[in-house]
Amino acid sequence: MAAPGAAEQRWLRAARDFVRGALAGPDGQEAEALEAVLRCLRSAGGGALPLGCSFISISDLQHQQRIPCCSHLSWSTKEFKEWSNQGQGALPMQHTLPRTYLILVGYLTDGRQDNKKKLVDGCLYVKDNTGIIPCELLHFELDWLDSLFVFPSWSYIPQTDQSAAGYLEILVDPMPVNALKEVLHSIPVTSPVPAEPLLTSRIPRKKRSKLTVAGELTRLGPLLCVHHKTFFFLFLKCFASAVCVPVLVQKPSQLLWHRVFQLGHRYTITGLSMSSLKKSGQTVFITSASSCLLPYCAEQVREQPLDSASQGESTQSSSLEAAEQLSCSLQLEAEEERPRPTKESKIISYVGFVTKVLNVQAGLFLLDNQVCLCLAYQPLLNSARGLRPGACVQLIDVHLLQKPLASFPFTVLGACLNSMVVLKSFSRLSTPYKPLASSGNLCLQLLFRFNLGMPLYLWLVSLLETFEQRFSCFFGRRRLLSSMHQNPAAAEKFLVPLLQAMVPDREEARDIYNEILSEIHQCPLQKYLPVNPPCQAPSLSAVCRVAEQKSWEGFSPSQLLSPLEAQHMGTQELNRRLAWSYCTLSAESFQPQLILLGVLRVSSRSSFLQLQDKSSALCCVISRKDGSPFAQTALIGSLVRVENYQLVVERFLKTDFPSWEHLENLEHVREKKTSVYVQFYLEDVQVLHAAEGQIQKGLRSGNSSSLRNKKDGSTASELETPEAKMLKLEDPKADTGRENCQGGESSPRTTSCVSQLFLVTQKEGLMSRNYQLPTEGDKEAHELQRCFQATVLWLGRPQLWSHPRETGNLSELEDTGCDGEEGVTQQETLLLFLGRSLRWFPFLHVDGLYRFTVPCCSDLEVFYKLCSPPVPATFLSRPSCPPSCLLVQDSWHLEHETWISCLPEHQLTALSVLTGMDQRTVSIPEVLSSSFTGSLVSFCGEIMERTLCASPKNEKPPGRPKQTETLLSRDHSVKLIVSAAPGSPVVMDIYITATYLQHLRGLLPGAKILFQNLERKISRFCNVYCTYIASSCVSILSLPASHLPSNPAGEASSPSLVFLSSLRPQLQNVAQARILCHLSCVLTVRLQWICSLCSCIFKEGRCTRHNPPCPSQTGVRQASARVLVEDGTGEAVVLCRNEHVAAALGLSLLEWEAVQNCVQSRGSVCIQHGEAPGAGCLEEPEDLVAHYLRSLCRSPLICRPILLDFSLDRKPSKILQPAPLQLRNFRSGEVEFVSRVGPRPSLLCLKVEEVGQDALGYLNSQRMSRTSSSC
């Protein structure tokens, strides 16, 4: 033999070092071990050593190899390419395993010798002196155990988690380094036919001798682990009949038999005894410590007869169906639409390739891109090792379930405890391995806890998948899914109530022994009831998308306006009324019902409360059912669930409709936009995962009982500092830069903090202002920045705490005694909120006691050092100006303590000096009173109506055009009609320009709002109204009732019946009332057609404006009339418009249309009759239409009793001045009487109804009874 070359010598030295470090035993026989390994390698390589390959130890493989790889010692490049190409057939887009040139040598073991405390689970391992790694083999022999092997072809599959080791896939049988021993001897055996009656015999256990049973393997159960004991069942069938007997294998050293058994093969098992199962009472054969598994060989066994005769019925065996049955079932799936509520699954066998791992924790795999394999109902095969995309599996006796869940796209093959899953070949693709969680697997826990069927289990998995995808980036997967110390995790809190509602009468626990041993097959997959998902919890981006779709489904602009109202509108008014609308959706508006989940945060850019998940953020409005504002800063950063809510979709349209007749033509809709937000009550919130350190402390002052407080009092979970909490409050898109506390001594390592208690006395709204801080540069170059300010009163002195956990009591209010000698230290300060401190805007409210906490600070003067005068010193003497201004720092934390109204009496005494300093909230009647003198007002009210109108011409929208990002035009304003109380006739008009609307949410009809710092104004008609200004602010106290209509113009309840004498001119804000009156005469009637664009007279199909000419070709008809009515207590002039004119004149719809068409050719017709002071009508005496209308007005049929709904005319032609009562003559038939009456009020007609004799008598009696009761 020629001397080895230099390369071979280096390779041999490396081999010697490898054997010395990885394989050498305690006896130190390195030379013999090296020679045996080299001999085995030469045999594998055809006589040559694989010099191109290097040895690798188990430890190096686990720590150095980060990607999947494979090694084939004896393969050529051509053979490897052919092998790789065959693996890409089912998944052409996947890459094949890259080839490495590594030599793997090690011992096959079951892991018992390395860790005696380890639970033996039937897994195989490859080990050397450096480490041990799990492995999977397609073929295994018992005599391989604890032998040294060279593995010529193998794949290493690391875990998706790079910090954990992977496993080996042994592609071909390993080559033994040393020869294996064979033991052949003759043994007596018993056939299953005579052995089967022994299981039902009454022979005492002590007299029973151990048997050796031989038979054909007809069924092999999965490895089960119950109460930390691993076992499996197998069934041996007689060679000549269908009789089979069950055998239980539970000895740790015999669990590897499970890898040896193959269906249809014949085996011999020695040392069997009989035992009765405690759970089910069934008798089975059980192996003993001396039992052996041997392949059946007729020459080596002799049959041993038993005295007992063969009796009893044979065990029923489920027949195997061909794989073609699956394809037939898939084709017939759409055809079989039976009305049966419960379906029976079919038992089939199937061979297919894994094309996708749907959810390894749930045991879901996709086969051949068409069927789903569910392994949740039996333990996953070897912890799912080997079940990678590209692997081939054989399924025996699995259940075929067609469309068990409407939302699940695949037919399901479910494996029960009677099914077999056999891995036929490994994958050749480079796909990583994600191991099955051995503990804390919530899917499987809930499956067995509620004994779920397949439909509900698939729905559970889909919910859990979505839940994890949405919120694992916030809290981590372990916090969401893993329950610790009997404290359920967030996912369990979410899912368990749903399952309890779905399975109220939960079935008995699953009997696995009966499922395996029963002659009649029974398992959870045998029958199933297809279900539609009872609820859904999609991502917030999907919620917004679906809500927008629903808001536009079947939408037509004509739905927003009444046809009788729209036909009289000009182009500008028509398109303005269409520009802004809304619709509300509840959980029941979606099918299935939609549950909202999200992390409650505050955007530091918009200052809106938001529900967030990984996909998006949804603005929210939160109220409390007791009417107090929402101020729970402790909920920020918590994962919450909301079932009762109102999802509001604000719709914004840009249209150019010429008239109401074109509303069905959607070509005039130029742009559609939406804004989606949700509103709900705090009491309807369920906290699934509380922000650490906040929920315990923030909810101590008696909040909603539905909030689930965290009760873990252990110190293991440290309280986060307010500085750390700030990260949870902010919008993740905002700047993540951090600023330290300015102006105070602080140490980065200290946990001490300084806190200051204060009372909010005034708060202004969020607005872009031109604040110029003293340290900033030129004022002219300073840009507007979004901010808000609040006037507060410091209470007590700053407190120093060793840890933020200690803060929370109101010791500052306890400093005063009964005699008030010391008193509470107080100082008024203006707080300015800029930048990230804007996140406190939703929580800060008037009359609330709050606490600022400065983290990592020990300077008690920190609040005073940062103060600066807000205005020059010459103005500080003014009482309305606070003495100092404090810029709130980004790192400070705000906590709501309580409300003034909730303080005990002795603490209220300490705050008695604040009487008169807090902002006074008045009522709407007080604001409307002529004696009211204030200019800025605050009051509560319920929104009755919301309409869009043009901004007053003398008012300029605030802010710069380039900085406003509103969805409405800047020349628009919203008009809110606010009632003092539900059903109250007294209302207030509030005007808000579109610029301010971008900061407001929840201004919907039916909502109760606290308006603060509105400007009170009086119009030239002496009407009182309010406007929203830069210092104004609103708080949502109560949400609209869920039954309110989505259209703001909802039908109102019937107004109350009043007398004309009860109307006072100074009460001009009565919303609506009703009178039973007599129409005395018609004073004026005016009918005209006007241009839809310029409002000039429209005559003969064109506008009459000539300079400049108007291009409009659309006219709008309008009508108005003034009538005189009386009810016996007084008279009134009623202004009727449009369709109400026809009702007042008693014309039918056809007659009114004919009159309007006649007026179209003339452009305008006007008549006056009777008294018409200041009407200013110019009649055309020769006009036939005017003659007809004049004759109609003089007709005695006009004078009749009517039921009139009205409101006071807010803009009368003549403003009535207070005057004394005057005597007036009235005639009723032939009877004339005299009454003392006041000036005639001007009314605006809302509705006219004819009154029959019966109704007239009833209404008169009602009116008289109300009059007598009031007297």
Side-chain angles (χ1 to χ4, degrees):
M1 178 179 291
E8 184 176 350
Q9 289 181 358
R10 288 194 300 270
W11 187 88
L12 289 174
R13 284 196 298 270
R16 187 178 301 108
D17 294 339
F18 169 77
V19 171
R20 182 185 303 113
L23 301 179
D27 51 3
Q29 297 178 355
E30 300 175 6
E32 292 82 353
L34 176 61
E35 183 62 29
V37 170
L38 295 179
R39 184 171 57 252
C40 187
L41 290 176
R42 288 190 181 96
S43 175
L49 292 174
L51 301 182
C53 301
S54 58
F55 290 91
I56 188 169
S57 65
I58 300 298
S59 177
D60 291 342
L61 181 65
Q62 291 175 324
H63 293 91
Q64 297 178 7
Q65 191 66 33
R66 299 298 183 185
I67 61 174
C69 64
C70 65
S71 177
H72 306 278
L73 289 180
S74 59
W75 286 11
S76 64
T77 303
K78 181 180 179 181
E79 291 174 328
F80 174 73
K81 288 184 178 180
E82 292 178 355
W83 177 80
S84 300
N85 293 333
Q86 292 175 1
Q88 286 187 307
L91 298 169
M93 303 303 295
Q94 293 282 355
H95 297 286
T96 57
L97 285 167
R99 184 177 183 180
T100 60
Y101 295 89
L102 299 175
I103 302 173
L104 184 65
V105 183
Y107 294 89
L108 274 178
T109 178
D110 60 359
R112 283 180 296 161
Q113 297 178 357
D114 297 85
N115 187 358
K116 295 183 179 180
K117 295 182 179 180
K118 177 182 178 296
L119 177 65
V120 178
D121 52 4
C123 295
L124 279 173
Y125 301 85
V126 175
K127 74 165 187 176
D128 60 12
N129 293 344
T130 65
I132 186 170
I133 186 173
C135 70
E136 294 298 324
L137 297 90
L138 300 179
H139 171 239
F140 177 70
E141 300 292 342
L142 288 178
D143 53 1
W144 292 0
L145 193 64
D146 297 326
S147 297
L148 183 63
F149 289 92
V150 171
F151 300 93
S153 294
W154 52 272
S155 300
Y156 174 69
I157 311 298
Q159 292 190 21
T160 52
D161 183 6
Q162 296 290 339
S163 61
Y167 74 99
L168 291 171
E169 293 178 351
I170 309 302
L171 305 180
V172 298
D173 288 350
M175 301 181 62
V177 173
N178 300 309
L180 303 177
K181 298 180 180 180
E182 289 190 15
V183 179
L184 299 177
H185 52 81
S186 177
I187 55 175
V189 300
T190 301
S191 171
V193 172
E196 192 264 346
L198 294 178
L199 298 179
T200 57
S201 65
R202 298 182 177 273
I203 303 175
R205 182 175 301 179
K206 295 182 179 180
K207 295 183 179 181
R208 296 175 181 176
S209 60
K210 294 184 178 181
L211 301 177
T212 298
V213 179
E216 178 183 337
L217 183 69
T218 183
R219 182 151 57 94
L220 179 65
L223 281 167
L224 302 175
C225 182
V226 178
H227 300 304
H228 304 288
K229 290 185 178 180
T230 306
F231 59 92
F232 67 92
F233 287 91
L234 61 97
F235 293 83
L236 293 178
K237 183 177 76 69
C238 180
F239 302 140
S241 67
V243 176
C244 63
V245 293
V247 179
L248 172 63
V249 180
Q250 62 178 358
K251 299 298 180 181
S253 60
Q254 300 166 1
L255 294 180
L256 285 179
W257 294 4
H258 194 271
R259 293 177 171 270
V260 177
F261 286 118
Q262 298 183 47
L263 283 183
H265 288 219
R266 298 180 176 185
Y267 298 96
T268 301
I269 303 178
T270 66
L272 293 180
S273 59
M274 290 177 289
S275 177
S276 178
L277 300 178
K278 295 181 180 180
K279 183 72 176 179
S280 61
Q282 293 170 305
T283 303
V284 296
F285 287 106
I286 185 171
T287 60
S288 61
S290 60
S291 296
C292 295
L293 173 64
L294 302 172
Y296 177 80
C297 183
E299 293 78 10
Q300 302 175 13
V301 300
R302 61 182 185 277
E303 185 169 354
Q304 179 182 12
L306 295 174
D307 296 335
S308 56
S310 174
Q311 57 184 355
E313 298 179 359
S314 62
T315 304
Q316 182 179 354
S317 175
S318 300
S319 61
L320 302 181
E321 300 185 25
E324 288 80 4
Q325 192 171 1
L326 173 63
S327 59
C328 297
S329 301
L330 293 175
Q331 296 175 0
L332 297 176
E333 179 179 339
E335 301 176 4
E336 294 185 0
E337 295 283 344
R338 298 184 179 180
R340 294 184 305 167
T342 303
K343 294 184 177 181
E344 291 190 5
S345 61
K346 297 179 180 179
I347 297 180
I348 67 169
S349 294
Y350 184 79
V351 178
F353 287 89
V354 178
T355 52
K356 184 178 181 181
V357 179
L358 298 177
N359 190 326
V360 67
Q361 306 303 329
L364 299 180
F365 302 85
L366 186 63
L367 302 183
D368 301 329
N369 290 319
Q370 63 174 347
V371 293
C372 171
L373 171 62
C374 178
L375 299 179
Y377 291 84
Q378 70 162 234
L380 275 178
L381 180 66
N382 303 324
S383 298
R385 289 192 294 267
L387 293 179
R388 299 185 298 115
C392 179
V393 293
Q394 179 185 9
L395 309 177
I396 302 172
D397 288 355
V398 292
H399 294 262
L400 173 65
L401 295 86
Q402 301 176 5
K403 281 293 182 183
L405 186 67
S407 59
F408 194 71
F410 305 109
T411 297
V412 180
L413 296 176
C416 67
L417 296 181
N418 270 359
S419 306
M420 283 189 62
V421 180
V422 181
L423 190 62
K424 301 298 291 184
S425 65
F426 292 114
S427 173
R428 307 174 186 185
L429 304 177
S430 179
T431 53
Y433 163 63
K434 186 175 182 180
L436 175 71
S438 57
S439 62
N441 191 322
L442 189 59
C443 281
L444 301 183
Q445 288 177 2
L446 296 180
L447 169 67
F448 296 117
R449 176 178 172 183
F450 291 93
N451 199 12
L452 299 177
M454 181 66 74
L456 282 180
Y457 178 68
L458 293 177
W459 172 67
L460 165 70
V461 171
S462 65
L463 283 181
L464 195 57
E465 286 178 343
T466 306
F467 189 85
E468 181 182 353
Q469 292 170 3
R470 294 173 59 187
F471 302 114
S472 59
C473 59
F474 293 93
F475 307 103
R477 186 178 182 275
R478 174 175 294 182
R479 289 188 178 183
L480 286 180
L481 304 182
S482 300
S483 303
M484 301 180 64
H485 306 296
Q486 297 182 350
N487 184 25
E492 187 173 349
K493 290 181 181 178
F494 168 54
L495 294 172
V496 167
L498 299 178
L499 295 177
Q500 288 174 341
M502 291 295 299
V503 195
D505 48 348
R506 184 174 56 181
E507 298 181 5
E508 297 181 358
R510 184 179 177 186
D511 188 352
I512 61 174
Y513 302 102
N514 185 60
E515 185 175 332
I516 296 175
L517 302 174
S518 176
E519 295 182 359
I520 302 177
H521 180 55
Q522 296 177 356
C523 75
L525 303 179
Q526 192 172 12
K527 296 182 179 180
Y528 65 101
L529 179 64
V531 297
N532 293 318
C535 64
Q536 56 178 326
S539 64
L540 292 179
S541 60
V543 170
C544 295
R545 183 172 60 253
V546 173
E548 291 175 354
Q549 293 175 354
K550 281 187 169 292
S551 67
W552 296 116
E553 285 179 0
F555 172 78
S556 174
S558 60
Q559 300 172 351
L560 303 178
L561 300 172
S562 169
L564 297 177
E565 183 182 11
Q567 62 184 340
H568 305 291
M569 293 181 180
T571 299
Q572 291 184 355
E573 183 182 4
L574 179 67
N575 290 287
R576 183 170 57 245
R577 294 287 293 274
L578 298 175
W580 189 24
S581 61
Y582 76 96
C583 72
T584 57
L585 304 170
S586 64
E588 292 75 19
S589 303
F590 303 88
Q591 293 299 327
Q593 179 179 341
L594 194 148
I595 298 176
L596 286 181
L597 300 174
V599 180
L600 189 62
R601 293 194 172 189
V602 185
S603 171
S604 59
R605 296 178 300 172
S606 64
S607 298
F608 286 135
L609 284 167
Q610 293 179 337
L611 292 178
Q612 290 187 355
D613 64 3
K614 185 179 180 180
S615 66
S616 183
L618 177 62
C619 293
C620 58
V621 176
I622 306 178
S623 298
R624 294 180 61 104
K625 293 183 178 180
D626 60 2
S628 61
F630 172 71
Q632 296 295 341
T633 57
L635 283 180
I636 299 303
S638 299
L639 175 59
V640 299
R641 161 186 170 170
V642 186
E643 288 190 27
N644 298 322
Y645 58 85
Q646 294 177 357
L647 200 60
V648 183
V649 184
E650 302 273 10
R651 297 177 296 216
F652 301 91
L653 294 177
K654 288 187 178 180
T655 58
D656 56 2
F657 289 102
S659 69
W660 68 279
E661 296 175 340
H662 302 80
L663 289 179
E664 299 299 331
N665 186 0
L666 299 182
E667 294 180 355
H668 295 282
V669 178
R670 302 305 180 191
E671 186 178 6
K672 296 193 304 183
K673 292 183 178 180
T674 56
S675 175
V676 184
Y677 63 94
V678 64
Q679 50 189 19
F680 50 85
Y681 285 106
L682 177 64
E683 289 78 3
D684 294 329
V685 172
Q686 179 192 1
V687 178
L688 299 179
H689 183 84
E692 290 188 6
Q694 294 191 32
I695 193 69
Q696 309 95 314
K697 181 177 176 181
L699 298 180
R700 65 180 177 275
S701 52
N703 289 320
S704 166
S705 60
S706 65
L707 297 175
R708 301 189 176 182
N709 300 356
K710 188 174 180 181
K711 298 180 180 180
D712 186 9
S714 62
T715 59
S717 177
E718 289 294 329
L719 173 68
E720 294 181 350
T721 63
E723 184 177 1
K725 294 178 194 175
M726 184 191 66
L727 294 177
K728 296 185 177 182
L729 304 180
E730 296 177 3
D731 191 335
K733 298 180 182 179
D735 184 17
T736 57
R738 303 289 298 277
E739 296 181 5
N740 296 327
C741 173
Q742 303 174 5
E745 298 178 2
S746 62
S747 173
R749 295 183 179 181
T750 182
T751 59
S752 62
C753 63
V754 177
S755 71
Q756 174 66 62
L757 187 69
F758 62 91
L759 171 70
V760 180
T761 59
Q762 185 176 355
K763 174 189 173 183
E764 297 190 0
L766 192 66
M767 190 61 190
S768 295
R769 295 181 173 90
N770 56 347
Y771 274 108
Q772 181 73 17
L773 299 180
T775 57
E776 296 182 359
D778 187 11
K779 183 176 180 179
E780 296 180 356
H782 188 62
E783 293 290 337
L784 293 179
Q785 48 187 332
R786 186 172 297 174
C787 61
F788 77 97
Q789 63 187 27
T791 304
V792 304
L793 195 69
W794 296 130
L795 300 179
R797 299 176 180 84
Q799 303 288 323
L800 179 63
W801 310 91
S802 61
H803 197 280
R805 185 190 299 272
E806 300 176 0
T807 64
N809 56 16
L810 301 179
S811 58
E812 295 87 342
L813 300 182
E814 307 291 345
D815 295 340
T816 180
C818 297
D819 54 355
E821 291 181 359
E822 296 184 10
V824 179
T825 303
Q826 303 163 7
Q827 180 181 349
E828 193 173 14
T829 304
L830 180 69
L831 298 182
L832 179 60
F833 296 81
L834 296 170
R836 289 195 295 271
S837 64
L838 292 178
R839 65 187 184 271
W840 305 122
F841 180 78
F843 305 99
L844 212 62
H845 302 284
V846 175
D847 291 341
L849 267 71
Y850 296 85
R851 184 184 301 275
F852 266 137
T853 303
V854 182
C856 304
C857 179
S858 58
D859 186 4
L860 293 177
E861 303 295 325
V862 59
F863 296 102
Y864 303 105
K865 290 181 179 179
L866 294 176
C867 288
S868 59
V871 293
T874 55
F875 294 93
L876 289 179
S877 58
R878 298 186 178 182
S880 61
C881 181
S884 61
C885 176
L886 176 62
L887 178 64
V888 177
Q889 303 299 307
D890 294 339
S891 60
W892 293 0
H893 183 69
L894 178 73
E895 294 180 62
H896 175 254
E897 297 291 348
T898 185
W899 305 101
I900 288 183
S901 58
C902 299
L903 288 176
E905 184 176 355
H906 68 281
Q907 291 182 341
L908 281 175
T909 304
L911 292 176
S912 59
V913 293
L914 301 179
T915 304
M917 295 184 61
D918 56 334
Q919 186 180 11
R920 182 169 177 263
T921 301
V922 297
S923 64
I924 290 180
E926 289 180 285
V927 178
L928 295 174
S929 174
S930 58
S931 60
F932 191 87
T933 57
S935 59
L936 294 181
V937 295
S938 299
F939 55 86
C940 295
E942 181 179 326
I943 299 178
M944 306 300 295
E945 185 178 344
R946 185 187 81 171
T947 55
L948 205 61
C949 58
S951 297
K953 296 181 179 180
N954 57 348
E955 292 187 6
K956 295 183 179 180
R960 300 179 185 177
K962 65 178 182 179
Q963 290 189 352
T964 56
E965 301 177 356
T966 61
L967 295 172
L968 292 172
S969 175
R970 286 169 49 85
D971 58 353
H972 286 170
S973 293
V974 62
K975 176 185 176 183
L976 301 178
I977 300 179
V978 179
S979 171
S984 173
V986 181
V987 296
M988 167 71 77
D989 291 346
I990 301 175
Y991 294 89
I992 307 175
T993 60
T995 307
Y996 296 118
L997 290 176
Q998 61 179 326
H999 307 299
L1000 304 178
R1001 293 286 189 274
L1003 299 181
L1004 303 179
K1008 185 178 180 181
I1009 313 293
L1010 172 61
F1011 297 94
Q1012 296 173 317
N1013 297 334
L1014 298 183
E1015 184 178 8
R1016 181 181 183 269
K1017 292 186 175 182
I1018 302 178
S1019 69
R1020 59 190 178 94
F1021 295 100
C1022 298
N1023 295 320
V1024 178
Y1025 65 99
C1026 291
T1027 58
Y1028 191 97
I1029 58 177
S1031 62
S1032 302
C1033 185
V1034 299
S1035 298
I1036 312 297
L1037 301 182
S1038 180
L1039 304 178
S1042 58
H1043 63 273
L1044 281 179
S1046 296
N1047 189 356
E1051 295 183 2
S1053 58
S1054 299
S1056 57
L1057 198 62
V1058 299
F1059 292 102
L1060 289 176
S1061 60
S1062 64
L1063 300 179
R1064 291 173 294 176
Q1066 61 270 25
L1067 290 180
Q1068 299 179 6
N1069 289 67
V1070 175
Q1072 189 175 353
R1074 171 178 292 185
I1075 56 173
L1076 178 62
C1077 60
H1078 186 269
L1079 197 157
S1080 301
C1081 66
V1082 179
L1083 302 178
T1084 63
V1085 176
R1086 185 181 184 89
L1087 307 180
Q1088 60 183 1
W1089 283 74
I1090 64 170
C1091 176
S1092 62
L1093 287 180
C1094 63
S1095 300
C1096 294
I1097 296 298
F1098 193 85
K1099 186 177 181 180
E1100 295 180 351
R1102 62 178 180 271
C1103 181
T1104 58
R1105 194 184 74 179
H1106 299 290
N1107 189 19
C1110 180
S1112 174
Q1113 299 180 356
T1114 304
V1116 177
R1117 54 189 181 184
Q1118 292 183 347
S1120 63
R1122 290 185 178 273
V1123 298
L1124 184 65
V1125 298
E1126 57 86 14
D1127 67 346
T1129 66
E1131 290 181 319
V1133 177
V1134 181
L1135 174 61
C1136 303
R1137 289 195 177 101
N1138 301 321
E1139 71 274 7
H1140 302 312
V1141 176
L1145 297 179
L1147 296 178
S1148 65
L1149 182 60
L1150 293 178
E1151 293 172 337
W1152 180 244
E1153 288 290 333
V1155 172
Q1156 294 276 37
N1157 293 334
C1158 293
V1159 176
Q1160 185 176 12
S1161 60
R1162 295 163 175 79
S1164 175
V1165 173
C1166 179
I1167 67 161
Q1168 58 183 4
H1169 174 69
E1171 298 177 281
C1177 281
L1178 297 177
E1179 293 193 31
E1180 299 179 15
E1182 301 300 327
D1183 190 272
L1184 295 179
V1185 178
H1187 178 72
Y1188 168 76
L1189 293 175
R1190 190 179 300 109
S1191 301
L1192 183 63
C1193 294
R1194 292 173 179 174
S1195 171
L1197 298 177
I1198 293 294
C1199 302
R1200 66 193 190 280
I1202 60 173
L1203 191 62
L1204 177 68
D1205 292 357
F1206 70 93
S1207 65
L1208 292 177
D1209 192 356
R1210 307 290 300 278
K1211 299 179 180 180
S1213 59
K1214 180 179 179 181
I1215 301 177
L1216 297 178
Q1217 301 297 332
L1221 300 179
Q1222 298 178 356
L1223 293 176
R1224 294 289 303 274
N1225 295 331
F1226 294 92
R1227 178 179 295 276
S1228 177
E1230 298 180 354
V1231 180
E1232 184 175 348
F1233 56 92
V1234 179
S1235 178
R1236 192 181 299 273
V1237 298
R1240 296 172 178 172
S1242 296
L1243 308 180
L1244 185 63
C1245 176
L1246 301 178
K1247 186 179 181 181
V1248 177
E1249 295 184 30
E1250 301 293 337
V1251 183
Q1253 291 296 328
D1254 296 338
L1256 182 62
Y1258 172 76
L1259 291 173
N1260 273 324
S1261 63
Q1262 292 292 323
R1263 186 170 64 168
M1264 295 304 296
S1265 62
R1266 184 173 304 177
T1267 304
S1268 59
S1269 62
S1270 62
C1271 294

